[in-house]
PDB file of all heavy atoms in Angstrom:
ATOM      1  N   TYR A 127     131.840  57.113  78.600  1.00 98.00           N
ATOM      2  CA  TYR A 127     131.777  56.973  77.143  1.00 98.00           C
ATOM      3  C   TYR A 127     132.991  57.625  76.485  1.00 98.00           C
ATOM      4  O   TYR A 127     133.570  57.076  75.538  1.00 98.00           O
ATOM      5  CB  TYR A 127     130.467  57.557  76.594  1.00 98.00           C
ATOM      6  CG  TYR A 127     130.294  57.235  75.141  1.00 98.00           C
ATOM      7  CD1 TYR A 127     129.759  56.007  74.755  1.00 98.00           C
ATOM      8  CD2 TYR A 127     130.738  58.110  74.153  1.00 98.00           C
ATOM      9  CE1 TYR A 127     129.663  55.664  73.422  1.00 98.00           C
ATOM     10  CE2 TYR A 127     130.638  57.778  72.816  1.00 98.00           C
ATOM     11  CZ  TYR A 127     130.103  56.556  72.455  1.00 98.00           C
ATOM     12  OH  TYR A 127     130.017  56.221  71.127  1.00 98.00           O
ATOM     13  N   LEU A 128     133.397  58.793  77.001  1.00 98.00           N
ATOM     14  CA  LEU A 128     134.578  59.477  76.450  1.00 98.00           C
ATOM     15  C   LEU A 128     135.827  58.612  76.637  1.00 98.00           C
ATOM     16  O   LEU A 128     136.687  58.533  75.747  1.00 98.00           O
ATOM     17  CB  LEU A 128     134.775  60.843  77.117  1.00 98.00           C
ATOM     18  CG  LEU A 128     133.788  61.945  76.726  1.00 98.00           C
ATOM     19  CD1 LEU A 128     134.072  63.218  77.519  1.00 98.00           C
ATOM     20  CD2 LEU A 128     133.835  62.239  75.232  1.00 98.00           C
ATOM     21  N   ALA A 129     135.917  57.953  77.800  1.00 98.00           N
ATOM     22  CA  ALA A 129     137.073  57.084  78.054  1.00 98.00           C
ATOM     23  C   ALA A 129     137.116  55.962  77.017  1.00 98.00           C
ATOM     24  O   ALA A 129     138.183  55.608  76.488  1.00 98.00           O
ATOM     25  CB  ALA A 129     136.989  56.521  79.466  1.00 98.00           C
ATOM     26  N   LYS A 130     135.942  55.444  76.702  1.00 98.00           N
ATOM     27  CA  LYS A 130     135.846  54.371  75.704  1.00 98.00           C
ATOM     28  C   LYS A 130     136.295  54.894  74.322  1.00 98.00           C
ATOM     29  O   LYS A 130     137.003  54.209  73.584  1.00 98.00           O
ATOM     30  CB  LYS A 130     134.387  53.895  75.635  1.00 98.00           C
ATOM     31  CG  LYS A 130     134.237  52.431  75.294  1.00 98.00           C
ATOM     32  CD  LYS A 130     132.854  51.900  75.672  1.00 98.00           C
ATOM     33  CE  LYS A 130     131.818  52.181  74.599  1.00 98.00           C
ATOM     34  NZ  LYS A 130     130.476  51.690  74.894  1.00 98.00           N
ATOM     35  N   MET A 131     135.910  56.114  74.023  1.00 98.00           N
ATOM     36  CA  MET A 131     136.315  56.699  72.740  1.00 98.00           C
ATOM     37  C   MET A 131     137.838  56.869  72.678  1.00 98.00           C
ATOM     38  O   MET A 131     138.457  56.611  71.651  1.00 98.00           O
ATOM     39  CB  MET A 131     135.650  58.065  72.522  1.00 98.00           C
ATOM     40  CG  MET A 131     134.182  57.985  72.112  1.00 98.00           C
ATOM     41  SD  MET A 131     133.454  59.625  71.892  1.00 98.00           S
ATOM     42  CE  MET A 131     134.053  60.105  70.256  1.00 98.00           C
ATOM     43  N   ARG A 132     138.417  57.324  73.801  1.00 98.00           N
ATOM     44  CA  ARG A 132     139.885  57.501  73.832  1.00 98.00           C
ATOM     45  C   ARG A 132     140.558  56.147  73.635  1.00 98.00           C
ATOM     46  O   ARG A 132     141.546  56.020  72.911  1.00 98.00           O
ATOM     47  CB  ARG A 132     140.323  58.115  75.159  1.00 98.00           C
ATOM     48  CG  ARG A 132     139.964  59.578  75.240  1.00 98.00           C
ATOM     49  CD  ARG A 132     140.504  60.271  76.499  1.00 98.00           C
ATOM     50  NE  ARG A 132     139.776  61.515  76.647  1.00 98.00           N
ATOM     51  CZ  ARG A 132     138.842  61.748  77.571  1.00 98.00           C
ATOM     52  NH1 ARG A 132     138.566  60.837  78.482  1.00 98.00           N
ATOM     53  NH2 ARG A 132     138.196  62.898  77.589  1.00 98.00           N
ATOM     54  N   ASN A 133     139.986  55.148  74.263  1.00 97.00           N
ATOM     55  CA  ASN A 133     140.506  53.797  74.166  1.00 97.00           C
ATOM     56  C   ASN A 133     140.518  53.297  72.725  1.00 97.00           C
ATOM     57  O   ASN A 133     141.438  52.603  72.294  1.00 97.00           O
ATOM     58  CB  ASN A 133     139.614  52.896  75.022  1.00 97.00           C
ATOM     59  CG  ASN A 133     140.411  51.840  75.720  1.00 97.00           C
ATOM     60  OD1 ASN A 133     141.639  51.953  75.800  1.00 97.00           O
ATOM     61  ND2 ASN A 133     139.728  50.821  76.196  1.00 97.00           N
ATOM     62  N   ASP A 134     139.483  53.644  71.981  1.00 97.00           N
ATOM     63  CA  ASP A 134     139.363  53.182  70.595  1.00 97.00           C
ATOM     64  C   ASP A 134     139.982  54.173  69.613  1.00 97.00           C
ATOM     65  O   ASP A 134     139.725  54.101  68.407  1.00 97.00           O
ATOM     66  CB  ASP A 134     137.889  52.967  70.238  1.00 97.00           C
ATOM     67  CG  ASP A 134     137.258  51.890  71.095  1.00 97.00           C
ATOM     68  OD1 ASP A 134     138.018  51.091  71.670  1.00 97.00           O
ATOM     69  OD2 ASP A 134     136.013  51.857  71.208  1.00 97.00           O
ATOM     70  N   ASN A 135     140.710  55.146  70.154  1.00 97.00           N
ATOM     71  CA  ASN A 135     141.367  56.163  69.314  1.00 97.00           C
ATOM     72  C   ASN A 135     140.376  56.970  68.460  1.00 97.00           C
ATOM     73  O   ASN A 135     140.685  57.440  67.378  1.00 97.00           O
ATOM     74  CB  ASN A 135     142.441  55.500  68.425  1.00 97.00           C
ATOM     75  CG  ASN A 135     143.419  56.514  67.835  1.00 97.00           C
ATOM     76  OD1 ASN A 135     143.895  56.345  66.728  1.00 97.00           O
ATOM     77  ND2 ASN A 135     143.719  57.582  68.558  1.00 97.00           N
ATOM     78  N   LEU A 136     139.162  57.100  68.985  1.00 97.00           N
ATOM     79  CA  LEU A 136     138.204  58.003  68.336  1.00 97.00           C
ATOM     80  C   LEU A 136     138.370  59.419  68.901  1.00 97.00           C
ATOM     81  O   LEU A 136     137.774  60.381  68.423  1.00 97.00           O
ATOM     82  CB  LEU A 136     136.764  57.527  68.561  1.00 97.00           C
ATOM     83  CG  LEU A 136     136.389  56.214  67.874  1.00 97.00           C
ATOM     84  CD1 LEU A 136     135.059  55.686  68.375  1.00 97.00           C
ATOM     85  CD2 LEU A 136     136.379  56.371  66.360  1.00 97.00           C
ATOM     86  N   LEU A 137     139.176  59.506  69.946  1.00 97.00           N
ATOM     87  CA  LEU A 137     139.593  60.783  70.522  1.00 97.00           C
ATOM     88  C   LEU A 137     141.077  60.661  70.821  1.00 97.00           C
ATOM     89  O   LEU A 137     141.593  59.553  70.947  1.00 97.00           O
ATOM     90  CB  LEU A 137     138.855  61.065  71.832  1.00 97.00           C
ATOM     91  CG  LEU A 137     137.427  61.578  71.826  1.00 97.00           C
ATOM     92  CD1 LEU A 137     136.946  61.728  73.264  1.00 97.00           C
ATOM     93  CD2 LEU A 137     137.274  62.885  71.089  1.00 97.00           C
ATOM     94  N   GLY A 138     141.719  61.809  70.971  1.00 97.00           N
ATOM     95  CA  GLY A 138     143.133  61.777  71.345  1.00 97.00           C
ATOM     96  C   GLY A 138     144.016  62.247  70.203  1.00 97.00           C
ATOM     97  O   GLY A 138     143.590  63.071  69.384  1.00 97.00           O
ATOM     98  N   LYS A 139     145.242  61.694  70.164  1.00 97.00           N
ATOM     99  CA  LYS A 139     146.183  62.123  69.117  1.00 97.00           C
ATOM    100  C   LYS A 139     146.067  61.211  67.896  1.00 97.00           C
ATOM    101  O   LYS A 139     145.796  60.028  68.010  1.00 97.00           O
ATOM    102  CB  LYS A 139     147.610  62.069  69.665  1.00 97.00           C
ATOM    103  CG  LYS A 139     147.886  63.134  70.716  1.00 97.00           C
ATOM    104  CD  LYS A 139     149.325  63.657  70.591  1.00 97.00           C
ATOM    105  CE  LYS A 139     149.595  64.822  71.538  1.00 97.00           C
ATOM    106  NZ  LYS A 139     148.769  65.994  71.354  1.00 97.00           N
ATOM    107  N   ASN A 140     146.296  61.799  66.737  1.00 97.00           N
ATOM    108  CA  ASN A 140     146.238  61.060  65.465  1.00 97.00           C
ATOM    109  C   ASN A 140     145.044  60.101  65.418  1.00 97.00           C
ATOM    110  O   ASN A 140     145.207  58.876  65.323  1.00 97.00           O
ATOM    111  CB  ASN A 140     147.537  60.278  65.241  1.00 97.00           C
ATOM    112  CG  ASN A 140     148.749  61.197  65.260  1.00 97.00           C
ATOM    113  OD1 ASN A 140     148.686  62.338  64.780  1.00 97.00           O
ATOM    114  ND2 ASN A 140     149.833  60.737  65.854  1.00 97.00           N
ATOM    115  N   ILE A 141     143.884  60.662  65.487  1.00 97.00           N
ATOM    116  CA  ILE A 141     142.664  59.862  65.563  1.00 97.00           C
ATOM    117  C   ILE A 141     142.564  58.888  64.381  1.00 97.00           C
ATOM    118  O   ILE A 141     142.745  59.280  63.225  1.00 97.00           O
ATOM    119  CB  ILE A 141     141.420  60.786  65.645  1.00 97.00           C
ATOM    120  CG1 ILE A 141     141.422  61.498  66.997  1.00 97.00           C
ATOM    121  CG2 ILE A 141     140.127  60.000  65.424  1.00 97.00           C
ATOM    122  CD1 ILE A 141     140.397  62.589  67.140  1.00 97.00           C
TER     123      ILE A 141
END
Side-chain angles (χ1 to χ4, degrees):
Chain A
Y127 189 83
L128 287 177
K130 211 162 84 180
M131 283 179 79
R132 287 186 197 107
N133 217 16
D134 297 341
N135 196 214
L136 293 168
L137 282 178
K139 290 216 174 300
N140 303 323
I141 291 171

